[in-house]
Amino acid sequence: MPVSSPSAGPSQVAEPRWLDADEQKAWRAWLYSSLLLQDRLDRDLTHVTGISHAYYEILVALSETPGRMMRMSELADRCLSSRSRLSHAVSRLEERGWVRRQVCAEDGRGQLAVLTDEGFAALEAAAPVHVESVRTHLFDQLTPQQVENMRDIGETLLRHLDAPTP
Amino acid sequence: MPVSSPSAGPSQVAEPRWLDADEQKAWRAWLYSSLLLQDRLDRDLTHVTGISHAYYEILVALSETPGRMMRMSELADRCLSSRSRLSHAVSRLEERGWVRRQVCAEDGRGQLAVLTDEGFAALEAAAPVHVESVRTHLFDQLTPQQVENMRDIGETLLRHLDAPTP
DNA sequence: GTAGCGTAGTTGAAGACTGAAGTATTCCGC
DNA sequence: GCGGAATACTTCAGTCTTCAACTACGCTAC
């Protein structure tokens, strides 16, 4: 990982701020649990419904919007996705008949991704599976205090990470 | 996301245990911060050193072992990687001259991945970059109490996730 | 010793992600 | 109203990941 020095030797520029043993424990616990949880949730969902978590997020985002449609860029931001990635994903969802593209009336450059009725139905079928998975692997494991702490940490990190870096 | 019901309608099987508003906030904060942090750390590292976080983990794992070598399966487990994924990755690292494969003496079926001196040097160069990134985006943002909570939550989840599911 | 089975690891094809380059449209100043 | 810059999105080529074969070796029992 990030980690302690691979050797004990001094380093080239300013001496790196290596992690001490406790920091490493904390960092690895966080990293591994994140990776394993994401993986587990994605596999649960994909295995049962055939919808990956990435696709699921797109469907959810669209479903929550008035008219069940959204500009491609806005949707990409909402799903923490690059434009390119979203464009590919929406093409796949179009092939499944769950989303269709529509030129944006106000801006001829823009496209709207629109959730179809089939897409909405697929989402309705998948949602209970996913929520159960999140309950089982996350909320059922944590005390209310831990959930509150998790939110606090998450929001703290988000305030930092969302801000564009200079 | 996982989430509240896409419609308000009742559901097919046992009524799903939907997340309430606070739970959703907590869940999304956790998920988004995880994704953004991983993404940021990976980009920082890849951009500066040309080593992705996945490859970095492999090099670190090997470097921490006596003889700087490890069985493929053990390495895969350690890196939360599938056998296949690790096998491909090690092939790429071999092309870079950072790792080499060696048949395992005790078990003719097995292979050892061995970190070369060039690989170790690459890791030594990358480590300060990565640790600085982890400091900046994670530890510098959190209070000692939050770090402790993060570790507590991570370890709690790991105890659940590491256990094989029946 | 060899059949049958399990384990270790690799491979190949298909899908997904990335960054850079490409196309189309709008915005802006003159 | 027109040239140039900016914006919105897509496409391309390359890399990574996954899943399902597949190869090769070891173990056990006959």
Side-chain angles (χ1 to χ4, degrees):
Chain A
M1 270 97 206
V3 164
S4 57
S5 174
S7 74
S11 169
Q12 52 281 59
V13 200
E15 184 61 29
R17 300 185 288 154
W18 299 117
L19 303 186
D20 66 31
D22 274 355
E23 287 170 328
Q24 273 208 57
K25 284 255 187 190
W27 158 240
R28 293 207 182 186
W30 182 88
L31 178 65
Y32 286 1
S33 61
S34 302
L35 291 172
L36 284 174
L37 182 51
Q38 283 165 207
D39 189 60
R40 169 60 59 87
L41 296 176
D42 188 45
R43 276 172 201 277
D44 278 3
L45 187 61
T46 307
H47 196 260
V48 179
T49 69
I51 308 177
S52 71
H53 193 255
Y55 286 10
Y56 183 79
E57 293 261 346
I58 295 174
L59 300 181
V60 169
L62 290 176
S63 79
E64 286 173 346
T65 224
R68 292 181 191 162
M69 56 181 63
M70 203 183 273
R71 286 290 292 270
M72 292 294 281
S73 342
E74 200 187 340
L75 187 53
D77 291 346
R78 173 86 166 56
C79 298
L80 304 183
S81 178
S82 70
R83 311 288 151 107
S84 171
R85 181 186 178 196
L86 182 74
S87 190
H88 286 297
V90 165
S91 299
R92 299 297 155 275
L93 291 171
E94 253 185 321
E95 286 166 12
R96 296 197 193 186
W98 291 351
V99 169
R100 62 186 165 75
R101 274 179 239 245
Q102 180 179 306
V103 209
C104 179
E106 304 96 57
D107 187 340
R109 294 166 300 180
Q111 294 273 111
L112 289 164
V114 188
L115 186 63
T116 64
D117 289 345
E118 291 77 17
F120 189 77
L123 176 59
E124 271 192 320
V129 174
H130 185 52
V131 76
E132 184 55 33
S133 190
V134 174
R135 282 258 173 242
T136 305
H137 301 305
L138 184 64
F139 288 102
D140 287 354
Q141 305 303 322
L142 302 176
T143 65
Q145 181 61 57
Q146 285 177 311
V147 171
E148 198 180 309
N149 294 343
M150 174 179 81
R151 173 173 171 178
D152 170 51
I153 294 166
E155 289 178 346
T156 303
L157 294 177
L158 278 181
R159 277 193 293 280
H160 166 72
L161 291 164
D162 264 344
T165 343
Chain B
M1 268 95 209
V3 167
S4 57
S5 174
S7 76
S11 168
Q12 50 281 60
V13 200
E15 183 62 30
R17 300 185 286 155
W18 299 118
L19 303 185
D20 66 31
D22 273 356
E23 288 170 327
Q24 275 208 56
K25 285 256 189 188
W27 158 240
R28 293 208 181 187
W30 182 87
L31 178 66
Y32 286 2
S33 61
S34 303
L35 292 172
L36 283 174
L37 182 51
Q38 284 166 206
D39 189 59
R40 170 59 61 88
L41 295 177
D42 189 45
R43 276 171 202 279
D44 279 3
L45 187 61
T46 307
H47 196 261
V48 179
T49 69
I51 309 178
S52 71
H53 193 256
Y55 286 10
Y56 183 80
E57 293 262 344
I58 295 175
L59 301 181
V60 170
L62 290 176
S63 79
E64 287 174 343
T65 227
R68 292 181 192 163
M69 57 181 62
M70 202 183 275
R71 287 289 291 269
M72 292 296 281
S73 341
E74 200 188 340
L75 187 53
D77 291 346
R78 172 88 165 56
C79 297
L80 304 183
S81 180
S82 69
R83 311 287 151 110
S84 170
R85 182 187 177 198
L86 180 74
S87 189
H88 286 297
V90 165
S91 300
R92 299 296 154 277
L93 291 172
E94 254 185 319
E95 286 167 12
R96 295 196 193 187
W98 292 350
V99 170
R100 65 187 164 72
R101 273 180 242 245
Q102 181 179 306
V103 210
C104 179
E106 303 95 59
D107 186 340
R109 295 167 299 180
Q111 292 274 111
L112 289 164
V114 188
L115 186 63
T116 65
D117 290 344
E118 291 75 19
F120 190 77
L123 176 59
E124 272 193 320
V129 174
H130 185 52
V131 75
E132 184 56 33
S133 190
V134 174
R135 282 258 173 240
T136 305
H137 303 304
L138 184 64
F139 288 101
D140 287 354
Q141 305 303 320
L142 301 176
T143 65
Q145 181 62 58
Q146 284 177 312
V147 171
E148 199 179 308
N149 294 342
M150 176 179 82
R151 174 174 172 177
D152 170 51
I153 294 166
E155 289 177 346
T156 303
L157 294 177
L158 279 182
R159 277 193 294 278
H160 166 70
L161 291 165
D162 263 344
T165 343

